[in-house]
Each structure stands twice: as C-alpha cells, then as structure tokens.
Amino acid sequence: MNKITSNLILVLVCFFHLSVFASVKFGKIEENTIDSQILGEGRELIVYLPAGYEDSKQKFPVLYVTDGDIQGSHTAGTLDFLAKFDLAPSMIVIGIVNPRNKRNEELTLTVKKEAQLDKLAGADRFLAFIEEEVIPLVKSRYRTLDYQALSGTSHGGQFAVNALIKRPNLFNGVIAISPSLYWNNNQLLDLTEEALKKGTLNGRLFISITNEEPTMTEPFQKLVELTKKYPSTNLNISIKKFSDETHDSTTLLGQYHGIKHLFLGWALPNTPQTLADLQLIYSSRSKLLGETMVIPEDRANGYGQWLQYLNRKDESLELFTWNRKTYPQSFNAHIALIKAYLHFNLTGAAKSAIEDAIKSINELSSKQKEELEGLLT
C-alpha cells in the first residue's frame, strides 16, 4: 500500500468518525408491564429505543433479550456503538425480565410426563409467551421491521437454542452465549440433532463458550460436532471460544461478536467502492432486513471523493451523479459533483451543474448561491 493510498484511507476514516461524533444522540429507555394470559401474571419489559428513534419515522429491527434487567443495557450499548460506526443496524432492544425465583422454570426445558403432553411448560411455555404476547405488543407500540433476533446467556442460551429448534422461522438470528446444554441429560442436543438431520433450521446462529466446567464445555463441543456432521446451507453458524473470560463476563464479548455475526457483511469496506459496489452491499442489507435501503448521501459523497482523489474519473462521476439524482435537494450532493467536474477539467459540465443546482434546490440561500457561482472564478 503506497503512501498516497494510506493517506486517503486516513482521510476517509477520519471523515466518517467526525460525522459520527458530530451527530451523537442518545437512545431512550421505556418500561412496560405486559399482563400475560399465558404466564398468568404481569411481566416487565425494558425497551431500549435506538438513538434517533423519536426524531424519525424510520422502522427498526428488534433484538429480544432474556434476563433483560441484567443483559439489556449493555447489549443496547453495544448495538449503539456498532450502529454509530455502521457496523450493524440500529435496533430496538426488548429486555424481557426473568425473575430470579422463576428463571429456571421459564428458560429451561421440562421433562414431561404422559399426562402433561398436551400442555406447554418451561421454556416452551415462555417461548409461547414471547411469540403470542410480547412480539405482537412490541409491533403494535413501536415502529418495527419484520427482522427480529433473540439473545440469551446460560439458561437464556439454552432457551435461545430451543427457540431456534421449536420456532425456526420466528427469529432471523439467534445468539446463545454459554448455553446450559447439559440440562435434562443433554436433552437439547438430541433435539438439535433431529432438527439438523431434517434440515429445518435457517437464519444465523452464534454460539459461544468460555473456560468452564466440563459439564458446560463437553455438551457444547458435542453441539459443535453436530453442526459439522449435519452442515446446512440455510443455517449460517459462527462458533467462538473466549478463553480469557468467565461464565459471568463472557456475555459482553458474546453479544458483540454475536451481533456482528447476525449482520455479517453489513460493514462498508475501508477500500475504494464504486456505485455498483455500494449498491450490492445495500441490496444485501435490504434483503436481510426485508426493507429497501438506499446508500446515504454522505456515504456516496465520501466514496466519490475517494475515487476522485484516485483519479478514477468515470467511477467517481457516476457515483456523484447518482447521489445528486437521488438527493436532488441536497446542496452537498450538487456541490460535490460540480467540484468533481472541475477536478477533471470538465468546465462546461460544471457550469451546467451549477445552473441545475440553482434551479432545482428549493430553499437555496443567497450564501449558497454565491458559493456555487464562485466555483468558476
């Protein structure tokens, strides 16, 4: 990598970092109580709305987190950081509280007796609560996309894997951190093997473990072996082992790497990107979220300037022209194209672009008009 290219990377990185710091906003936390018919009691939900939620009409994907009073806040913070640097989308985080005295009952599998085969219990009952009561409530109260994910740690990780198996189309992505797979004599491993054999699982799964007792690590390794024995093209799996963490501390890293796996390929590369390159990335984002996503104006301008500095004339002009057409009321989009024309000594095109900007920008200030006209002097 030559010195000029290195300097260009630094310029682009600094530009994106400055744009983040210049627009720092904070999310909002809301507390809701849902009167559950399935659980037969009220249950607290802690809702973490992303930065900018209240100032827009945008819809957001949702991440549901068990043990929400413990795991919700740091998960929302991790997402906020990743989203600010465009490494993952902004998300609504729903922290579902599991009271300490009911946690085992709600998050773990139950061995059913014959007389109970027609009744939901344990993790299956709590999963029904989320599917039939929590998710509809969230969709009715907040602006949500259809994309939704689930994350859980320890017994919550067991619950997350069970949810993937029992409701393979309910969540687009699942994060299971240090899951208690040993429960009920490795019951969940048998269910997982059956599902992998049938090929019914899809979406993205992140599972992780740390330095723990063999009770935890041995069934985890068996799960890893099952995913290798029954590979699936429909289930994208990432497996991590955090050797320097404990069962309590591993959640912080697990959520970070888990979210990044759910949105693998989301980040924009720190290399020159053409219009076609960017459109491919945003097309992939749109497909993942089920919502059309368009290249933002500042991203198009940033990469257009990078291509301009590299004297890749046709590619930079194509990107700047697309940006002006897509954001016709943006002064920055117009002026970036004009400056590119001038950079490549296309004076006639620059003059026409200035005239176009003056005509098309509805609320053009006298100062902006003077700046445009001054570009040719």
Side-chain angles (χ1 to χ4, degrees):
M1 184 181 294
N2 60 43
K3 185 175 180 181
I4 294 177
T5 303
S6 298
N7 288 339
L8 289 175
I9 292 175
L10 288 174
V11 168
L12 185 65
V13 169
C14 288
F15 168 77
F16 288 151
H17 275 236
L18 286 173
S19 67
V20 168
F21 297 139
S23 60
V24 170
K25 293 182 179 179
F26 299 97
K28 180 182 178 183
I29 301 175
E30 295 183 354
E31 294 187 11
N32 294 275
T33 298
I34 178 171
D35 293 321
S36 172
Q37 296 296 314
I38 293 175
L39 300 182
E41 64 179 31
R43 182 53 56 91
E44 184 181 3
L45 304 177
I46 306 174
V47 180
Y48 300 86
L49 298 174
Y53 178 89
E54 294 184 297
D55 300 327
S56 73
K57 295 182 180 179
Q58 181 183 346
K59 293 182 179 181
F60 294 86
V62 183
L63 175 61
Y64 294 89
V65 182
T66 53
D67 296 313
D69 52 335
I70 301 171
Q71 312 294 2
S73 59
H74 72 78
T75 301
T78 296
L79 263 168
D80 178 68
F81 174 83
L82 291 173
K84 276 185 168 63
F85 289 96
D86 204 18
L87 302 174
S90 294
M91 297 185 78
I92 298 171
V93 176
I94 306 296
I96 307 171
V97 176
N98 297 101
R100 182 177 296 272
N101 64 333
K102 296 188 177 181
R103 188 172 182 272
N104 283 6
E105 175 190 342
E106 294 179 344
L107 299 181
T108 62
L109 292 169
T110 300
V111 178
K112 295 182 179 179
K113 298 177 182 179
E114 285 190 24
Q116 298 174 320
L117 288 177
D118 61 338
K119 296 180 181 179
L120 289 176
D124 294 333
R125 183 183 181 213
F126 198 72
L127 178 57
F129 160 65
I130 294 177
E131 180 180 20
E132 299 173 24
E133 296 183 329
V134 177
I135 291 176
L137 177 70
V138 170
K139 288 182 176 294
S140 68
R141 290 190 181 178
Y142 301 100
R143 299 191 308 275
T144 67
L145 295 175
D146 288 336
Y147 182 98
Q148 53 197 25
L150 173 68
S151 177
T153 300
S154 191
H155 283 343
Q158 177 191 158
F159 176 83
V161 174
N162 183 59
L164 174 69
I165 295 169
K166 301 290 179 58
R167 295 289 185 276
N169 297 310
L170 183 58
F171 298 104
N172 302 81
V174 168
I175 299 172
I177 303 167
S178 285
S180 52
L181 301 174
Y182 64 86
W183 198 258
N184 287 346
N185 196 27
N186 298 343
Q187 180 183 2
L188 194 54
L189 291 180
D190 296 334
L191 294 173
T192 302
E193 182 171 18
E194 183 180 350
L196 288 171
K197 280 182 179 180
K198 293 180 179 178
T200 57
L201 305 183
N202 55 67
R204 295 186 183 182
L205 168 65
F206 173 86
I207 53 176
S208 68
I209 196 73
T210 185
N211 282 333
E212 306 189 53
E213 294 297 322
T215 301
M216 291 287 290
T217 58
E218 289 177 1
F220 183 89
Q221 186 57 39
K222 290 179 181 179
L223 177 61
V224 172
E225 292 169 2
L226 286 175
T227 62
K228 294 177 180 179
K229 184 177 181 180
Y230 305 104
S232 171
T233 57
N234 296 323
L235 182 65
N236 189 322
I237 304 173
S238 175
I239 300 163
K240 289 280 187 183
K241 295 183 179 180
F242 302 111
S243 58
D244 295 331
E245 301 301 323
T246 67
H247 187 75
D248 293 328
S249 68
T250 189
T251 312
L252 296 169
L253 278 176
Q255 296 289 45
Y256 173 81
H257 287 280
I259 292 167
K260 288 189 70 176
H261 175 66
L262 297 192
F263 299 102
L264 187 66
W266 184 275
L268 297 176
N270 284 327
T271 55
Q273 299 293 299
T274 66
L275 176 61
D277 294 332
L278 293 173
Q279 286 179 328
L280 185 63
I281 293 171
Y282 278 86
S283 174
S284 177
R285 290 184 178 188
S286 300
K287 183 178 180 180
L288 181 62
L289 295 186
E291 177 88 349
T292 301
M293 301 191 70
V294 181
I295 306 167
E297 175 203 340
D298 63 339
R299 289 292 188 264
N301 267 350
Y303 282 103
Q305 289 166 8
W306 198 344
L307 295 169
Q308 177 183 314
Y309 295 146
L310 294 172
N311 284 318
R312 291 164 61 171
K313 182 181 74 172
D314 293 342
E315 293 170 326
S316 66
L317 291 177
E318 180 185 32
L319 192 47
F320 284 130
T321 301
W322 174 91
N323 209 29
R324 182 187 65 173
K325 181 179 179 181
T326 306
Y327 302 98
Q329 294 305 309
S330 168
F331 178 76
N332 289 334
H334 281 276
I335 205 166
L337 176 61
I338 296 165
K339 288 182 176 180
Y341 281 139
L342 292 173
H343 174 83
F344 294 113
N345 298 315
L346 301 172
T347 307
K351 184 177 180 180
S352 296
I354 291 172
E355 294 173 354
D356 179 75
I358 293 172
K359 290 178 183 178
S360 60
I361 300 177
N362 295 334
E363 297 181 2
L364 186 70
S365 69
S366 57
K367 183 178 180 180
Q368 288 174 326
K369 182 178 179 183
E370 182 180 341
E371 183 179 348
L372 286 167
E373 294 172 338
L375 290 173
L376 291 177
T377 60

